[in-house]
Amino acid sequence: MSEDSQEEFITGAKLEEIMLELEQLSSLCEEKSKSCTLLESQRFYEGMAIAYTTVVIKLKSDFDYIDTKVIDELYNALEKNL
């Protein structure tokens, strides 16, 4: 197989590990946002938590795109947990 045609494939088990890691990062960011004293830092961590969660949703499902309503709902859910 030539170097140009070689591709790395992610196994189902590896994908599960990646999703678990992303979920843990999202939880970590949620926790960090709760302890921030600066609003800018809090918003940063909230945004990262939403981003990680969005990637997990994309990896778990067959959606071609994620509607902005989903992002709004993620933000609302995160806001309720703070």
Side-chain angles (χ1 to χ4, degrees):
M1 194 181 284
S2 73
E3 191 174 322
D4 292 335
S5 64
Q6 290 180 351
E7 294 182 17
E8 288 186 35
F9 293 98
I10 298 176
T11 64
K14 186 67 175 174
L15 187 57
E16 289 294 323
E17 289 176 28
I18 292 169
M19 288 188 294
L20 180 60
E21 180 79 19
L22 289 168
E23 288 171 342
Q24 290 171 346
L25 286 169
S26 178
S27 294
L28 176 65
C29 286
E30 286 179 29
E31 289 302 313
K32 293 281 278 183
S33 73
K34 292 177 185 177
S35 64
C36 289
T37 56
L38 296 173
L39 182 61
E40 294 84 8
S41 297
Q42 182 182 3
R43 294 297 181 237
F44 170 78
Y45 287 115
E46 289 171 350
M48 291 303 298
I50 290 170
Y52 290 132
T53 302
T54 303
V55 172
V56 172
I57 289 171
K58 181 71 174 168
L59 291 173
K60 285 183 176 179
S61 60
D62 296 328
F63 294 113
D64 290 333
Y65 67 96
I66 296 176
D67 195 300
T68 56
K69 291 178 185 176
V70 172
I71 303 298
D72 293 338
E73 289 303 316
L74 286 171
Y75 181 78
N76 291 335
L78 179 63
E79 199 172 45
K80 288 177 186 176
N81 288 327
L82 297 179

